[in-house]
Amino acid sequence: MMTDRKLGEFELIERFFAPLATGQGAAGLKDDAAAYTPQPGHDLVISKDMLASGVHFFPDDPPEAVAAKALRVNLSDIVSKGARPTGYVLGLGLGADMPENWVERFCAGLAADQERYDISLLGGDTISTGGKIVLSVTLFGEMPSDGIVRRTTAQAGDLIFFSGTLGDSSLGLQLRLKPELAEISGLSHEDLAYLKQRYLLPEPRTAGYSAVARFAAASMDVSDGLAADLGHMCRAAGLIADVTVESLPLSGAARRWLEADQNIWPWIVSGGDDYELLCAVRPRDRDAFLAAMRETGTHVTEIGRFGLQDDADPGVRFNKGGTVVAVEGPGGYRHV
Amino acid sequence: MMTDRKLGEFELIERFFAPLATGQGAAGLKDDAAAYTPQPGHDLVISKDMLASGVHFFPDDPPEAVAAKALRVNLSDIVSKGARPTGYVLGLGLGADMPENWVERFCAGLAADQERYDISLLGGDTISTGGKIVLSVTLFGEMPSDGIVRRTTAQAGDLIFFSGTLGDSSLGLQLRLKPELAEISGLSHEDLAYLKQRYLLPEPRTAGYSAVARFAAASMDVSDGLAADLGHMCRAAGLIADVTVESLPLSGAARRWLEADQNIWPWIVSGGDDYELLCAVRPRDRDAFLAAMRETGTHVTEIGRFGLQDDADPGVRFNKGGTVVAVEGPGGYRHV
């Protein structure tokens, strides 16, 4: 309880974590706390997501990918608020049975993403959980004061935009959980690999943060599925959202699978793990928002519009060929 | 893997966590990220400590005490750097078998300490670990820019100060681990209860933060035992520390047990979980430091002095009656 809880912590820090602490305030992780100096006139935006082995990732996922996912689910939160990511503190709960080089490979994954997203490790804590691996990342971003873009501030008439493609990660997860789906889906090896990779490695739309900050009226990232998360935006603002099913951005792989089996539809709209941007944009800001997103190479698609609540429940209506369709089925949440 | 991971999270947030998010930037926890506006001209100081059930607390500890410990081990870090604690984000990994009202009682513990230490919940994440309870707190403090007091900056000649009393928590842990020690120790019920309470509930010396900021040349909190942590300060600065054993501040309970059994000595100096301040103070600042600590009601004791390294190893020397004594034995780390 006492003597083993710090076992090897100092060695781990010196060998693997200290090289990641490139910022000055981290003091080479030789202290109990980090100093962080925000730019004058800027707010911090803070995100915290935890991940547990067997719940948010598979125990046999490559450690590099686990590291990347732990950072990227938080990066996705931060940029959806319009902030530029800057650094993070890491809580690493090591499991009872860890492969010999797990921490080394995990740190290699952190290093690669620090480079890719221009962020630095600021500090953290390493413990032994005595059970499963549990990761806790607190990620920081900065933006001009009082500029944070909330998820609660959509208005009737706002246009709804979605980045990237929808549902790939959810389909990838289903393929991991039920390998027999690979054959049933009739998809090519490339399509199957693409979907599984989309689950393994989120691709947060970090380049789009400034377009969000400048032109989005409300924004969040989609992690619990489009139906659920757009539903949150609606309820927070007392609105409905009319989504045009035909406009939803699907990858080739998702489109081909959906053409072969309409039953996968709920996985696509409700499965989660998309880590794409979901933005409400005033009609007058539409062109500027699209231009700013295009400038950063971030693909966004207009998928619908917020409206005044016309019955008891605020919520999402998926419209297909003029008819409202339900979002229920295998693995799906219950929403209409 | 997918549908259960958010099970009840929104209900938990609304019922138990939202009332704790009293700061404006927390937005009632209705968003994926918190906004934090530091005072102009101030740095943030950031601490992260994780706790796992069965490692850092006992599974049957009162949930209120677990909450308090999760906050207080971080508060101890922050004030040892000279910063005023302001707020925190919480990662709560719920275990597989949770008592019905565990979360409610845990949140009551958070609420009590938020009041006590004038801090606010800013945001967080709740997951199911599928195994044990794992907590991750990232705590923030603020202080005038570039003022952080590091653990690495002691100099030869600096006086060494220790707050509160030493070793109580370590002895309390031993009593929890080996209940038969209660009788062997010959201590009264009051003494036994006092020591166990000191393990259950750290008492970080938060009032002392400004005295640290103004007059400490180096500082840290003691969590891994005086021998180990003072050793870290020594090695970071290439110094030795001469500690006078007779001057170490012991509680009545610890003193009585030590008088009955000298073998508990290593538990006292190496056991850990003290969460007391360990400060290096220049001799010219001694009186001002003592006065500032006294003003905040924080008891500190001068226990020794840093010196130039006179042999191969920087490190701690415990001097008793003019002789260097070893710090080894039951449950102790190996240091001299």
Side-chain angles (χ1 to χ4, degrees):
Chain A
M1 186 120 183
M2 175 183 53
T3 48
D4 73 350
R5 83 155 196 254
K6 294 279 176 181
L7 185 71
E9 178 173 7
F10 296 106
E11 292 76 8
L12 287 176
I13 289 172
E14 202 165 319
R15 280 187 60 190
F16 301 126
F17 292 106
L20 299 173
T22 49
Q24 194 183 3
L29 306 183
K30 286 195 198 321
D31 211 329
D32 301 305
Y36 186 106
T37 311
Q39 285 184 73
H42 280 59
D43 283 348
L44 259 69
V45 178
I46 305 166
S47 159
K48 156 83 100 182
D49 268 334
M50 284 183 105
L51 293 82
S53 178
V55 182
H56 305 94
F57 58 91
F58 289 84
D60 61 349
D61 279 347
E64 297 88 348
V66 174
K69 179 172 278 194
L71 292 178
R72 293 180 185 193
V73 300
N74 282 288
L75 287 163
S76 181
D77 280 328
I78 292 293
V79 300
S80 78
K81 305 289 101 188
R84 182 180 59 84
T86 55
Y88 66 103
V89 294
L90 171 71
L92 174 57
L94 298 172
D97 300 307
M98 302 282 295
E100 167 105 11
N101 61 351
W102 196 93
V103 174
E104 186 173 1
R105 293 181 57 190
F106 178 80
C107 287
L110 294 178
D113 266 16
Q114 289 193 191
E115 178 86 21
R116 180 177 179 139
Y117 296 109
D118 193 20
I119 56 176
S120 164
L121 176 66
L122 298 169
D125 191 22
T126 304
I127 66 165
S128 166
T129 68
K132 298 179 183 187
I133 299 171
V134 178
L135 305 168
S136 179
V137 168
T138 306
L139 194 119
F140 304 97
E142 290 193 26
M143 65 190 308
S145 289
D146 300 322
I148 189 169
V149 183
R150 291 297 187 186
R151 65 154 78 166
T152 53
T153 43
Q155 291 182 5
D158 285 353
L159 308 173
I160 305 168
F161 285 89
F162 188 88
S163 70
T165 54
L166 177 69
D168 294 334
S169 177
S170 163
L171 297 178
L173 172 59
Q174 294 301 327
L175 289 167
R176 292 285 298 271
L177 292 172
K178 300 166 205 137
E180 68 275 15
L181 285 176
E183 204 182 322
I184 298 171
S185 70
L187 291 181
S188 68
H189 284 299
E190 286 80 8
D191 281 349
L192 294 170
Y194 167 82
L195 294 173
K196 283 192 272 194
Q197 184 69 9
R198 285 275 281 160
Y199 171 73
L200 190 68
L201 273 183
E203 297 274 355
R205 306 302 172 183
T206 48
Y209 80 88
S210 60
V212 170
R214 289 162 69 201
F215 299 113
S219 174
M220 68 184 298
D221 78 319
V222 174
S223 55
D224 291 340
L226 175 63
D229 285 332
L230 187 52
H232 294 317
M233 283 182 90
C234 286
R235 275 183 291 281
L239 300 173
I240 57 157
D242 275 303
V243 172
T244 308
V245 169
E246 291 84 350
S247 72
L248 291 173
L250 301 186
S251 67
R255 208 178 57 244
R256 281 184 282 278
W257 193 354
L258 186 63
E259 278 163 11
D261 182 1
Q262 289 291 317
N263 288 323
I264 68 165
W265 157 246
W267 287 341
I268 292 176
V269 288
S270 298
D273 292 316
D274 291 291
Y275 303 108
E276 297 286 357
L277 296 169
L278 180 64
C279 298
V281 176
R282 308 270 185 264
R284 66 167 184 273
D285 292 327
R286 179 182 183 279
D287 293 346
F289 175 77
L290 283 170
M293 281 293 183
R294 199 177 308 119
E295 211 168 283
T296 65
T298 308
H299 187 260
V300 292
T301 304
E302 190 179 322
I303 63 168
R305 184 184 282 257
F306 287 100
L308 287 173
Q309 201 180 320
D310 53 6
D311 57 15
D313 277 339
V316 186
R317 295 190 301 208
F318 286 93
N319 304 279
K320 190 176 177 185
T323 311
V324 175
V325 294
V327 181
E328 284 180 42
Y333 293 83
R334 197 169 279 262
H335 290 280
V336 170
Chain B
M1 186 119 182
M2 175 183 52
T3 48
D4 75 350
R5 83 155 196 252
K6 293 279 175 183
L7 185 71
E9 179 173 6
F10 295 106
E11 292 76 9
L12 287 176
I13 290 173
E14 202 165 321
R15 280 187 61 189
F16 300 126
F17 292 105
L20 300 173
T22 49
Q24 194 183 2
L29 305 184
K30 286 196 197 323
D31 210 329
D32 301 305
Y36 186 106
T37 311
Q39 285 184 73
H42 281 58
D43 282 349
L44 259 70
V45 177
I46 305 167
S47 159
K48 155 83 98 184
D49 268 334
M50 283 182 105
L51 292 82
S53 178
V55 182
H56 305 92
F57 58 90
F58 288 84
D60 61 349
D61 279 347
E64 296 88 347
V66 174
K69 179 171 277 194
L71 291 178
R72 293 179 186 193
V73 299
N74 282 287
L75 287 162
S76 181
D77 280 328
I78 292 293
V79 300
S80 79
K81 304 290 100 188
R84 182 180 60 82
T86 55
Y88 67 102
V89 293
L90 171 72
L92 174 57
L94 298 172
D97 300 305
M98 302 283 295
E100 166 106 12
N101 61 351
W102 196 94
V103 174
E104 184 172 3
R105 292 181 58 191
F106 177 81
C107 287
L110 294 178
D113 266 16
Q114 289 193 191
E115 179 86 19
R116 180 177 179 138
Y117 296 107
D118 193 19
I119 55 176
S120 164
L121 177 65
L122 298 168
D125 191 23
T126 304
I127 65 164
S128 167
T129 68
K132 297 178 181 185
I133 299 172
V134 178
L135 306 168
S136 179
V137 169
T138 306
L139 193 118
F140 304 97
E142 291 192 26
M143 66 189 307
S145 290
D146 300 320
I148 189 168
V149 183
R150 291 297 187 187
R151 66 153 79 165
T152 54
T153 43
Q155 291 182 5
D158 285 353
L159 308 172
I160 305 169
F161 285 89
F162 188 89
S163 69
T165 54
L166 177 70
D168 294 334
S169 176
S170 164
L171 297 178
L173 172 59
Q174 294 301 327
L175 290 167
R176 290 285 298 272
L177 291 173
K178 301 165 204 138
E180 68 275 14
L181 285 174
E183 205 183 323
I184 299 171
S185 71
L187 291 180
S188 67
H189 285 300
E190 285 81 10
D191 281 350
L192 294 169
Y194 166 81
L195 293 174
K196 284 192 271 195
Q197 183 70 9
R198 285 275 280 159
Y199 172 74
L200 190 67
L201 272 183
E203 297 273 357
R205 306 303 172 184
T206 48
Y209 79 89
S210 60
V212 171
R214 289 162 69 203
F215 299 112
S219 174
M220 67 184 299
D221 78 320
V222 174
S223 55
D224 291 340
L226 174 62
D229 284 333
L230 186 52
H232 294 317
M233 282 182 89
C234 286
R235 277 183 289 281
L239 300 173
I240 56 156
D242 274 304
V243 172
T244 308
V245 169
E246 291 85 350
S247 72
L248 291 174
L250 300 186
S251 66
R255 207 179 56 245
R256 284 184 280 278
W257 193 353
L258 185 63
E259 278 162 10
D261 182 0
Q262 289 292 316
N263 288 322
I264 68 165
W265 157 247
W267 288 340
I268 292 176
V269 287
S270 297
D273 291 318
D274 291 291
Y275 303 108
E276 297 287 358
L277 296 170
L278 180 64
C279 298
V281 176
R282 308 267 186 266
R284 66 167 183 273
D285 293 327
R286 179 182 183 278
D287 293 346
F289 175 78
L290 283 171
M293 281 292 183
R294 199 177 309 118
E295 211 168 281
T296 64
T298 309
H299 186 260
V300 292
T301 305
E302 190 179 324
I303 63 168
R305 184 183 282 258
F306 287 99
L308 286 174
Q309 202 179 322
D310 54 4
D311 57 14
D313 276 340
V316 186
R317 295 190 301 209
F318 287 93
N319 304 280
K320 189 176 179 187
T323 312
V324 175
V325 295
V327 181
E328 282 179 44
Y333 293 84
R334 196 170 280 261
H335 290 280
V336 166

